Amino acid sequence: MRSSILASLLSVVTAVYGYGNPMDCTGICNNAHDPALIRRDDGTYYRFSTGGKIAIHSASSITGPWVYKGAAIPNGSKINLKGNTDLWAPDVTKIGDTYYLYYTVSSFGVQNSAIGVATSTNLDTWTDHGSTGITSAAGKNYNAIDGALYWDGSKFVMTFGSFWNDLFSVNMADPPLKATSSAVNVAFKPDGEHAQEGPFIAKNGNYHYLFYSAGKCCGFDTDKPAKGAEYKIQVCRSTSATSGFVDKAGKKCMEGGGTTVLESHGWVYGPGGQGVLYDPKLGPVLYYHYVDTRIGYGDGQKKFGINKIDFSSGWPVV
């Protein structure tokens, strides 16, 4: 669930720069579920994640070590839904002098959901504004979770969604506190459980790259999915940020298309919850969570990973 890019699969991931280390810190620090990453102007990196009312960590290096700084929304969200003290899937973006933090209020497996927003001038203390107006309930063809803001060159666009009819986008106001359009479907997997979520758009060259997580995200320690059915990161691209996404083979993302960028390999299992950051030293990097099979498969054991991205072929390769 972030800020801008990806595509083609390598059988072995190269240039892994920073996996979470269980010795970095304790408690909530050890869980990097659904990370959002941003670099402050002074060079400090901030990482936000699901749990702990959106846990904040900072580091002087993108590889850590990460220091836990507290909860972004310590009193819980203003949104009057079940789950408003258990916030999910942050996304953070700087616009002008203001940082915008988007988060999800929901309960697992239901559509009583909303995407909220908070603002800050320093990344440490946040003002909650409640709902963006992106909401869902039983009967909708989408679930209002996993929002990520994107500037397409002329307007703010937010992608969001999970399962049901999968991934959607809406236009946002300027400043981007509220949605200004109805939801448009941008990706759909017609078979199986429609398991796509966590969309994130990034720009490279003339294309908008739609990254998302496909497969089962959670509960690996109690119900491990069939091989290949666990989380993986996929991508489609388009010259429009709101329609026309296709994969590397030309298959439409609305018809089940999707090119795998990163999947389980070695001791890295179920990578997902991804975003892209353009780093001044490393260039574009893909960041995400995963579980380290040498440590454990629990939802509270998600580690933080980053890889450099190569766009030279027109498709992101890590």
Side-chain angles (χ1 to χ4, degrees):
M1 317 165 174
R2 308 79 193 182
S3 202
S4 278
I5 327 189
L6 255 98
S8 187
L9 170 68
L10 292 182
S11 59
V12 178
V13 175
T14 59
V16 175
Y17 281 84
Y19 286 116
N21 186 315
M23 299 304 293
D24 282 352
C25 51
T26 59
I28 193 72
C29 295
N30 276 327
N31 188 10
H33 200 153
D34 295 333
L37 183 65
I38 195 166
R39 183 180 182 272
R40 206 163 62 178
D41 290 344
D42 66 1
T44 304
Y45 293 87
Y46 275 71
R47 191 185 80 201
F48 299 79
S49 56
T50 291
K53 299 175 184 175
I54 305 299
I56 307 173
H57 304 77
S58 70
S60 59
S61 168
I62 198 170
T63 60
W66 296 94
V67 176
Y68 177 57
K69 299 180 69 68
I73 307 175
N75 297 319
S77 173
K78 293 180 178 180
I79 298 171
N80 186 24
L81 284 176
K82 182 180 178 181
N84 64 1
T85 60
D86 179 25
L87 310 177
W88 301 352
D91 170 71
V92 62
T93 304
K94 187 179 183 183
I95 301 166
D97 294 326
T98 302
Y99 296 96
Y100 291 78
L101 176 68
Y102 300 93
Y103 62 85
T104 295
V105 174
S106 187
S107 301
F108 196 77
V110 302
Q111 288 176 276
N112 296 322
S113 309
I115 295 171
V117 60
T119 55
S120 174
T121 57
N122 57 20
L123 291 172
D124 292 307
T125 58
W126 294 84
T127 300
D128 182 33
H129 299 278
S131 178
T132 60
I134 304 172
T135 64
S136 61
K140 286 272 193 179
N141 63 343
Y142 59 80
N143 196 15
I145 70 170
D146 294 1
L149 189 71
Y150 178 67
W151 173 255
D152 76 351
S154 63
K155 63 183 180 298
F156 290 109
V157 174
M158 177 167 286
T159 50
F160 67 94
S162 172
F163 294 76
W164 282 271
N165 279 22
D166 290 339
L167 309 182
F168 289 77
S169 73
V170 296
N171 295 335
M172 297 290 288
D174 186 3
L177 295 171
K178 295 290 184 181
T180 60
S181 71
S182 57
V184 176
N185 212 175
V186 295
F188 178 61
K189 189 178 292 293
D191 56 349
E193 294 182 305
H194 316 294
Q196 294 177 326
E197 59 188 1
F200 184 97
I201 299 179
K203 182 77 182 292
N204 192 73
N206 296 322
Y207 290 102
H208 309 277
Y209 291 83
L210 176 67
F211 298 95
Y212 57 90
S213 301
K216 183 179 178 180
C217 73
C218 310
F220 299 146
D221 54 339
T222 58
D223 185 18
K224 191 176 179 181
K227 185 176 180 180
E230 74 277 10
Y231 243 23
K232 63 177 70 68
I233 299 170
Q234 296 189 314
V235 71
C236 290
R237 75 180 189 184
S238 176
T239 55
S240 167
T242 56
S243 65
F245 290 97
V246 299
D247 67 12
K248 190 176 182 181
K251 187 173 183 178
K252 295 178 181 178
C253 218
M254 280 293 295
E255 297 177 358
T259 297
T260 299
V261 178
L262 185 64
E263 62 184 352
S264 298
H265 60 281
W267 43 262
V268 174
Y269 184 82
Q274 71 296 314
V276 175
L277 175 74
Y278 284 91
D279 187 78
K281 294 181 179 179
L282 299 177
V285 297
L286 175 69
Y287 60 86
Y288 51 92
H289 73 240
Y290 69 100
V291 294
D292 183 337
T293 60
R294 302 169 301 179
I295 297 171
Y297 290 83
D299 289 342
Q301 296 176 300
K302 295 295 198 303
K303 305 305 176 187
F304 180 62
I306 64 168
N307 292 79
K308 292 176 66 173
I309 303 169
D310 181 358
F311 277 99
S312 62
S313 70
W315 288 92
V317 176
V318 298

